[in-house]
Amino acid sequence: MTLLSYEFMQIALLAAVVTGLTAPAIGTYIVQRRLALLGDGLGHVALTGVALGLLTGTSPLAAAVVVAIGGAVVIELLRTYAKASADVALAMLFYGGIAGGVFLINLSGNSAATLNRYLFGSITTMSRADVILVVVLGAAVLLASIWLAPQFFALSHDEEHARVAGVPTRVYGMLIATLAAVTIAVSMRTVGLLLVSALMVIPVAAAQQLRPSFRGTHFLAMGFGLFSAVAGLLVSAAIDAQPGPTIVLVALGVFALAAVFRGAKSLRRSPEVPRG
Amino acid sequence: MSAGTMSATGPNAAIITASDVKVTIDGNEILRGIDLEVNPGEFLGILGHNGSGKSTLIRALMGLQRFTGEVSLFGTPLADFKERNRIGYLSQDINHTTGVPSSVMEVVLSGAVANHRWSGWPSKTERAHARELIESVGLGEHARRPISELSGGQRQRAHIARALVGHPDLVVMDEPTVGVDAESLDILAHILKTELDRGTAIVMVTHELGAVRELVNRTITLEAGLVCDTCIDVKDLHAPGLQEHHAEIHGDSHTDQPAHHAAELDVRPVVTEGPLQ
């Protein structure tokens, strides 16, 4: 494919690989902790970071990483210490994030087209410096999500048990939220801030149709994420569509296939009735 | 350390020492001053109605609930206690039917995380031990199945195996028998017997002792956040004719409490001392 000989396309492809692997790698823990919408919220908050970057003439990516991490810390603190009122407080944080982001982008003199690129992804806007940051941060997320898998699993599966076992649940809860924030920021050029959370959830939902274990789901989800991101990017480049929606539609297609496959499989072995 | 509050065995030998434990949640006094001691090899049953504070008490002992008063585990104040691998904990109402599937093996093995609190993967020995435990709770053929596909009793057995995988010296269980079938109850009793023979101390919160009645050394009954020293204890439960009386006092109905219980609620009672059997 001649498209691949362009440097912007190589950069976009590299970013898609990182996004496809990291979003489900951390997303599996997020889904297990029943925080599937956390990514959405962090995406909204990260937009304010992008706007601050554009306004101050610094890197929107670096600013988004910093602001999203700040948002993750606030969200975890609210969840831990203000359980009863956390719901509304979180909602306000998310609305504030997106309102502040759009407001500041307008203020910085950037157009709706610029905003659109950050919300739904774009394959042409990433610099070499950006992609280096994406690869480094993505590798860190990937490494942590695999290296700390036993602790993250214990925490995500049964937080109270993990606390009694002496796992530093507050620190690791915060770390998971922080890694999610980093993932969202590094994925925004590929899938965009409004859809990045889909790539943390849909590949996991697809993989759990086919795997009976957490570990199996974790790795298969990364495989599905990688396929969706790369295939979606290539299709979007070929038909000149925005990459974010294309990637998410591919991921949904993978999910539909997995669900059909599972349905067919359970029909075939229907005599074995699950107990309980 | 609150020395000298409890039994003749002395505080150094105790696995759990608690003194004047009080918990207030949203202005409600859930625990109003509990003294407690658990010694090595002892099986303590904590009885009481719904809302009597028994779950709150063991959550406080495990560091899951803020409290005032003093708690020591293995002679170390709770705040400084680090040997988490010495505790096997089974919480109430573990329901993991949603979320990402987790196999029975993964769940049981997660009990070994107390040996790898900050990082690290389970060792070969730990894996082998987890497999043995899964066999011994009768789930051998289900080891690779998602735990969400098991029955309530089977799930509970898996969680008991998880509590035991780190070779604990203390096992703490919150209502492990609720909604559990007869086969699972027998397996639970057998497993706990093996643990007691190893010298493990067991603390179990329950509505009714049921299948483990014969194993229990001592019970305390909580009532309105205090230890009730006039409530029927386990020794009396073994005596014929008294079981009906117990059912009357400890049944789910709160309406027909004997009057003397209410009268004595403000008196600060003490823990029933020593083994009863």
Side-chain angles (χ1 to χ4, degrees):
Chain A
M1 210 194 256
T2 51
L3 206 55
L4 283 176
S5 56
Y6 291 104
E7 185 182 302
F8 77 86
M9 194 61 201
Q10 292 163 357
I11 287 177
L13 204 58
L14 191 53
V17 168
V18 172
T19 299
L21 286 173
T22 51
I26 199 68
T28 309
Y29 300 111
I30 304 279
V31 171
Q32 179 75 332
R33 299 192 81 196
R34 296 173 185 76
L35 296 173
L37 294 176
L38 176 77
D40 270 318
L42 287 174
H44 289 34
V45 174
L47 189 66
T48 295
V50 170
L52 285 173
L54 290 171
L55 201 62
T56 58
T58 52
S59 156
L61 176 60
V65 170
V66 172
V67 172
I69 288 175
V73 170
V74 171
I75 289 167
E76 268 302 295
L77 290 176
L78 280 171
R79 275 184 3 94
T80 311
Y81 297 105
K83 279 179 185 123
S85 49
D87 196 32
V88 172
L90 292 180
M92 288 199 286
L93 184 70
F94 299 168
Y95 303 144
I98 202 150
V102 173
F103 182 79
L104 291 175
I105 285 177
N106 290 340
L107 215 61
S108 71
N110 278 284
S111 63
T114 307
L115 177 64
N116 198 24
R117 282 206 289 272
Y118 287 101
L119 291 181
F120 298 106
S122 162
I123 53 171
T124 55
T125 53
M126 218 183 308
S127 67
R128 273 183 180 208
D130 278 349
V131 84
I132 290 170
L133 189 60
V134 163
V135 169
V136 168
L137 291 176
V141 171
L142 209 56
L143 201 67
S145 74
I146 293 172
W147 184 45
L148 296 173
Q151 291 72 29
F152 282 5
F153 171 76
L155 167 64
S156 307
H157 182 71
D158 187 346
E159 183 161 352
E160 291 212 329
H161 174 267
R163 261 173 85 187
V164 173
V167 175
T169 51
R170 297 248 161 90
V171 175
Y172 278 172
M174 195 68 92
L175 182 58
I176 290 175
T178 303
L179 293 174
V182 171
T183 304
I184 280 157
V186 301
S187 305
M188 70 181 178
R189 292 295 177 75
T190 310
V191 275
L193 291 172
L194 283 191
L195 287 173
V196 56
S197 163
L199 214 52
M200 300 175 101
V201 174
I202 298 168
V204 180
Q208 72 184 38
Q209 306 292 319
L210 306 176
R211 285 287 180 270
S213 69
F214 189 88
R215 205 175 167 194
T217 302
H218 195 193
F219 284 105
L220 187 60
M222 285 159 65
F224 283 164
L226 180 64
F227 172 79
S228 305
V230 170
L233 183 82
L234 293 176
V235 169
S236 78
I239 63 171
D240 198 18
Q242 272 194 291
T246 320
I247 289 170
V248 172
L249 287 173
V250 172
L252 282 171
V254 171
F255 172 79
L257 283 177
V260 168
F261 188 77
R262 190 220 174 112
K265 207 168 139 193
S266 65
L267 270 182
R268 251 184 285 141
R269 51 162 203 181
S270 56
E272 193 195 320
V273 180
R275 293 191 218 179
Chain B
M1 279 295 304
S2 54
T5 45
M6 314 269 165
S7 82
T9 48
N12 291 333
I15 284 182
I16 301 178
T17 345
S19 96
D20 202 24
V21 172
K22 291 180 184 169
V23 171
T24 303
I25 300 173
D26 297 333
N28 299 317
E29 288 185 294
I30 310 295
L31 297 180
R32 302 194 290 156
I34 304 276
D35 293 344
L36 183 73
E37 183 171 295
V38 178
N39 294 305
E42 186 175 40
F43 189 157
L44 174 72
I46 301 179
L47 303 169
H49 298 298
N50 284 339
S52 61
K54 53 194 194 307
S55 291
T56 307
L57 173 59
I58 63 165
R59 287 174 53 78
L61 297 178
M62 294 292 96
L64 294 170
Q65 173 65 54
R66 276 172 198 271
F67 62 93
T68 63
E70 287 175 48
V71 171
S72 290
L73 298 177
F74 300 95
T76 307
L78 183 58
D80 304 325
F81 180 72
K82 295 280 185 280
E83 299 170 296
R84 293 290 174 163
N85 54 336
R86 298 184 75 179
I87 303 176
Y89 176 64
L90 176 57
S91 62
Q92 196 178 4
D93 292 336
I94 306 172
N95 182 8
H96 297 298
T97 48
T98 58
V100 180
S102 314
S103 73
V104 171
M105 182 65 184
E106 286 175 320
V107 172
V108 172
L109 204 53
S110 75
V113 80
N115 293 325
H116 318 277
R117 295 183 298 132
W118 283 90
S119 67
W121 286 60
S123 67
K124 263 189 181 163
T125 326
E126 285 167 331
R127 283 174 188 281
H129 187 48
R131 231 169 275 129
E132 272 168 36
L133 280 165
I134 290 170
E135 289 289 339
S136 70
V137 296
L139 294 176
E141 58 184 299
H142 303 299
R144 294 167 69 100
R145 282 180 73 189
I147 194 159
S148 56
E149 286 182 8
L150 304 188
S151 73
Q154 288 171 325
R155 269 208 296 278
Q156 198 66 310
R157 283 190 250 158
H159 288 125
I160 287 156
R162 178 180 70 175
L164 298 178
V165 80
H167 298 286
D169 297 314
L170 168 66
V171 174
V172 177
M173 295 176 291
D174 195 353
E175 301 271 17
T177 58
V178 170
V180 169
D181 55 286
E183 185 199 359
S184 296
L185 283 177
D186 288 345
I187 291 172
L188 170 69
H190 177 74
I191 289 273
L192 294 183
K193 173 81 170 60
T194 315
E195 285 301 310
L196 284 172
D197 291 345
R198 273 187 56 220
T200 311
I202 299 174
V203 175
M204 178 171 166
V205 160
T206 184
H207 278 84
E208 41 145 16
L209 293 168
V212 300
R213 181 170 296 158
E214 300 296 331
L215 301 174
V216 170
N217 305 110
R218 190 160 66 93
T219 63
I220 59 171
T221 301
L222 295 197
E223 205 167 79
L226 289 170
V227 176
C228 171
D229 64 345
T230 54
C231 295
I232 299 294
D233 64 38
V234 69
K235 184 170 71 179
D236 298 318
L237 273 175
H238 290 308
L242 277 172
Q243 292 187 14
E244 262 178 44
H245 177 55
H246 179 268
E248 199 176 288
I249 295 173
H250 295 279
D252 284 331
S253 160
H254 288 240
T255 52
D256 55 359
Q257 289 286 311
H260 65 274
H261 283 161
E264 284 180 16
L265 281 183
D266 291 329
V267 181
R268 168 96 180 276
V270 294
V271 180
T272 317
E273 290 295 335
L276 295 167
Q277 284 178 309

